[in-house]
């Protein structure tokens, strides 16, 4: 079966990646032993389930023979996870950069941003409270000229405790970090919650939230991402990931507007292999039921329904063969997609068993996600 266009779901992630990689960098990387700043603030995610190549197209005529390419099905999943990973990596890079200022106590300094040449104020406080939790330190950076604005000109806030294990929260508004590069993303904000205290049974874990990404002109790009909510936990050599990305402008063949990319994945660091399961529920669906998000709205079910609605008389055996690579779960190695529904070997089987304990977030809540500074 070949068709010019089955289901057009183009997910352009270039803007999100650009914001994350350029948000608040100081272009400095100064090591200092005399600092109270945390050394670690992210979970390393295997490349098998994380890839920063933006874009991708789901079942849009790029078929090989009579089968949808699995690489097309899952390219967006790996990109979403890469965006979450980039957000946490950026926090670490920024912390490394401001070591130049020897953050070793309660203090305040003023400097000029390397990217937008605007004056920034940096203030470190101790013994603060945020969201009902006491923190040893709070670091806030603001854009000096916009401190009277509604958002207080806040570019970055980090809350953390000084201990052998790191626990903290980082919130960044890219526009206030660099108003030149991020001029078209004035409302974008992201937040990283990082912990090494094992609240969910992991050696290290992080929760990534991204909200307010600008939606493109629907006539030019109706498939852009608006928000992302992702969790990653590392136990030994294995990393579990689950979450959602919300696409309110995307349109399926049936005319339905808005869908959520719900996903769970598990990857092995030394083997660089991974397993993932993906669902496409409506972006307004108010449910966190794993059975609904990943089974009822599995990629295979959604595409089967959409294609059948468009071609009611289609041969179901031919359709099943065409969508064979969409069977869950999907299996990956360092080069990307390996197979769908059929395990390549015992190492992948171990990871696949972990997926049953993972569940995406609520699509409606992800679409309505907001992030606030203190």
């Amino acid at each position: 079966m070949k068709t010019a266009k089955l289901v057009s779901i183009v997910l352009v992630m270039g803007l999100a990646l650009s914001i994350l990689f350029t948000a608040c960098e100081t272009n400095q990387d100064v090591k200092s032993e005399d600092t109270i700043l945390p050394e670690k603030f992210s979970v390393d995610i295997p490349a098998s389930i994380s890839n920063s190549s933006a874009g991708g197209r789901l079942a849009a005529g790029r078929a090989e023979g009579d089968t949808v390419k699995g690489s097309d099905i899952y390219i967006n999943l790996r990109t979403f996870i890469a965006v979450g990973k980039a957000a946490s990596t950026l926090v670490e890079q920024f912390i490394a950069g401001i070591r130049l200022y020897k953050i070793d106590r309660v203090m305040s300094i003023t400097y000029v941003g390397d990217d937008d040449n605007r004056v920034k104020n940096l203030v470190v406080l101790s013994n603060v409270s945020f969201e009902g939790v006491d923190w040893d330190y709070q670091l806030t950076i603001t854009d000096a000229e916009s401190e009277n604005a509604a958002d207080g000109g806040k570019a970055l806030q980090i809350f953390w405790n000084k201990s052998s294990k790191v626990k903290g929260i980082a919130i960044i508004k890219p526009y206030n970090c660099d108003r030149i590069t991020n001029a078209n993303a004035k409302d974008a904000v992201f937040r990283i919650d990082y912990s090494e205290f094992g609240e969910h049974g992991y050696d290290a874990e992080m929760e990534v939230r991204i909200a307010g990404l600008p939606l493109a002109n629907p006539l030019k790009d109706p498939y852009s991402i608006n928000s992302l909510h992702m969790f990653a936990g590392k136990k030994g050599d294995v990393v579990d990931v689950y979450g959602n990305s919300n696409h309110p402008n995307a349109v399926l063949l049936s005319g339905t507007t808005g869908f959520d990319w719900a996903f769970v994945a598990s990857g092995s660091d030394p083997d660089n292999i991974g397993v993932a399961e993906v669902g496409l529920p409506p972006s307004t669906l108010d449910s966190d039921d794993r059975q609904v998000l990943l089974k009822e709205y599995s990629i295979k079910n959604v595409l089967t329904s959409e294609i059948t609605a468009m071609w009611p008389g289609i041969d179901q055996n031919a359709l099943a063969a065409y969508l064979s690579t969409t069977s869950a779960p999907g299996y990956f190695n360092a080069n990307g997609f390996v197979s769908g529904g059929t395990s390549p070997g015992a190492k992948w089987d171990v990871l696949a068993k972990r997926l049953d304990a993972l569940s995406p977030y609520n699509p409606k809540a992800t679409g309505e996600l907001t992030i606030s500074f203190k």
Side-chain angles (χ1 to χ4, degrees):
M1 181 201 316
K2 293 184 179 180
T3 178
K5 197 169 188 179
L6 288 181
V7 181
S8 180
I9 305 176
V10 183
L11 308 176
V12 178
M13 299 299 295
L15 176 59
L17 286 166
S18 175
I19 290 172
L20 292 174
F21 286 129
T22 63
C24 286
E25 295 180 63
T26 62
N27 297 324
Q28 303 286 343
D29 188 2
V30 180
K31 295 294 183 182
S32 172
E33 297 299 326
D34 190 16
T35 181
I36 57 175
L37 292 169
E39 294 286 345
K40 184 73 174 174
F41 221 93
S42 69
V43 171
D44 297 325
I45 301 176
S48 58
I49 55 174
S50 173
N51 189 312
S52 60
S53 297
R57 184 180 297 268
L58 173 59
R62 296 176 59 193
E64 182 175 346
D66 288 334
T67 304
V68 176
K69 282 186 177 180
S71 57
D72 287 346
I73 295 294
Y74 288 102
I75 187 173
N76 295 304
L77 164 69
R78 301 174 75 208
T79 301
F80 300 145
I81 294 176
V83 168
K85 179 180 179 180
S88 60
T89 300
L90 178 61
V91 172
E92 288 187 330
Q93 292 174 341
F94 188 78
I95 291 174
I98 59 178
R99 290 184 193 283
L100 168 70
Y101 305 114
K102 297 181 180 179
I103 310 300
D104 59 357
R105 64 193 183 280
V106 172
M107 60 189 296
S108 62
I109 61 173
T110 297
Y111 68 94
V112 176
D114 288 341
D115 296 310
D116 61 4
N117 293 313
R118 292 171 65 93
V119 175
K120 312 293 180 182
N121 290 326
L122 183 155
V123 178
V124 179
L125 303 175
S126 64
N127 300 318
V128 299
S129 178
F130 179 58
E131 297 183 342
V133 177
D134 294 329
W135 302 94
D136 292 339
Y137 296 103
Q138 169 190 320
L139 182 150
T140 302
I141 294 177
T142 57
D143 181 79
E145 295 180 31
S146 57
E147 289 180 350
N148 291 325
D151 63 3
K154 292 184 176 69
L156 169 73
Q157 275 191 331
I158 305 176
F159 304 87
W160 77 98
N161 288 322
K162 181 67 174 173
S163 66
S164 59
K165 293 183 177 181
V166 179
K167 182 181 177 69
I169 297 172
I171 304 171
I172 295 181
K173 186 166 187 177
Y175 178 66
N176 287 334
C177 293
D178 175 3
R179 294 200 168 189
I180 296 176
T181 303
N182 303 305
N184 295 324
K186 295 183 178 181
D187 298 320
V189 185
F190 68 89
R191 167 174 169 161
I192 310 295
D193 291 57
Y194 177 77
S195 177
E196 296 173 355
F197 283 82
E199 289 90 341
H200 297 88
Y202 294 95
D203 300 328
E205 59 191 54
M206 67 179 182
E207 187 173 356
V208 180
R209 299 176 178 92
I210 301 176
L213 289 173
L215 291 172
N217 183 328
L219 296 178
K220 296 181 179 180
D221 174 24
Y223 311 108
S224 54
I225 182 176
N226 179 55
S227 54
L228 173 76
H229 192 184
M230 186 185 92
F231 174 91
K234 184 170 186 177
K235 183 72 172 179
D237 294 328
V238 176
V239 177
D240 295 328
V241 181
Y242 58 83
N244 309 65
S245 64
N246 197 272
H247 311 266
N249 283 3
V251 182
L252 300 181
L253 283 175
S254 61
T256 302
T257 302
F259 75 94
D260 179 276
W261 196 282
F263 57 88
V264 297
S266 187
S268 171
D269 207 7
D271 296 322
N272 210 349
I273 62 174
V275 182
E277 190 169 356
V278 176
L280 293 176
S283 60
T284 56
L285 181 65
D286 188 8
S287 174
D288 58 5
D289 188 326
R290 187 183 191 282
Q291 181 68 26
V292 173
L293 300 177
L294 296 178
K295 304 300 182 182
E296 181 177 336
Y297 286 102
S298 68
I299 282 186
K300 187 170 187 176
N301 283 351
V302 171
L303 293 185
T304 298
S305 177
E306 291 292 316
I307 294 171
T308 301
M310 179 61 72
W311 295 283
I314 193 170
D315 182 279
Q316 291 299 305
N317 290 328
L319 178 58
Y322 183 75
L323 297 177
S324 60
T325 58
T326 66
S327 297
Y331 297 90
F332 308 85
N333 60 22
N335 297 318
F337 180 79
V338 177
S339 63
T342 302
S343 172
K347 290 184 178 180
W348 282 269
D349 293 339
V350 174
L351 297 177
K353 291 178 181 178
R354 301 180 66 87
L355 298 187
D356 289 340
L358 308 177
S359 181
Y361 294 106
N362 183 306
K364 185 173 185 292
T366 299
E368 297 173 351
L369 184 65
T370 59
I371 302 172
S372 301
F373 290 94
K374 179 178 178 181

